[in-house]
Amino acid sequence: MEDRAAFNGALRAVEIPMRRAVPSRWIRMANPTQNIYIRKVERVNGKLQNTVIFTYPAVSQFWKYSPEEFLKQPVYARDFPPCRHC
């Protein structure tokens, strides 16, 4: 790889086709943005199957927050946030 910046740019532009709805895309932190499916198990014609009951479209690693807002938060620890019931 002679041109690392071009390679990283090309990698971030890749879309991976999914079987349902929005394809997966890569974002700045090299994690995919993709749909998240909430499912429940139902018995259909005598067989169990997963049924999608809700879809969160295009979810990134930061969920509903901007990357800057998310990264301002302290690193996860057992004592943060403080437990009010302990």
Side-chain angles (χ1 to χ4, degrees):
M1 274 190 300
E2 294 81 30
D3 191 349
R4 194 175 209 177
F7 176 75
N8 285 333
L11 184 61
R12 287 189 180 101
V14 169
E15 290 193 10
I16 302 168
M18 306 296 269
R19 290 191 322 169
R20 297 183 186 189
V22 179
S24 176
R25 288 190 347 218
W26 298 92
I27 61 168
R28 184 179 70 175
M29 302 294 221
N31 287 309
T33 299
Q34 58 190 2
N35 290 348
I36 301 298
Y37 302 99
I38 306 301
R39 303 172 186 189
K40 70 177 182 177
V41 176
E42 292 183 324
R43 189 172 299 275
V44 177
N45 297 327
K47 295 183 178 181
L48 295 176
Q49 74 175 30
N50 287 319
T51 302
V52 176
I53 58 174
F54 190 78
T55 302
Y56 290 98
V59 176
S60 79
Q61 73 187 64
F62 303 112
W63 187 237
K64 297 178 180 182
Y65 305 97
S66 70
E68 294 76 23
E69 181 183 359
F70 184 86
L71 293 172
K72 280 190 222 174
Q73 300 296 318
V75 177
Y76 175 79
R78 292 182 136 197
D79 56 349
F80 183 84
C83 179
R84 295 180 301 223
H85 308 289
C86 298

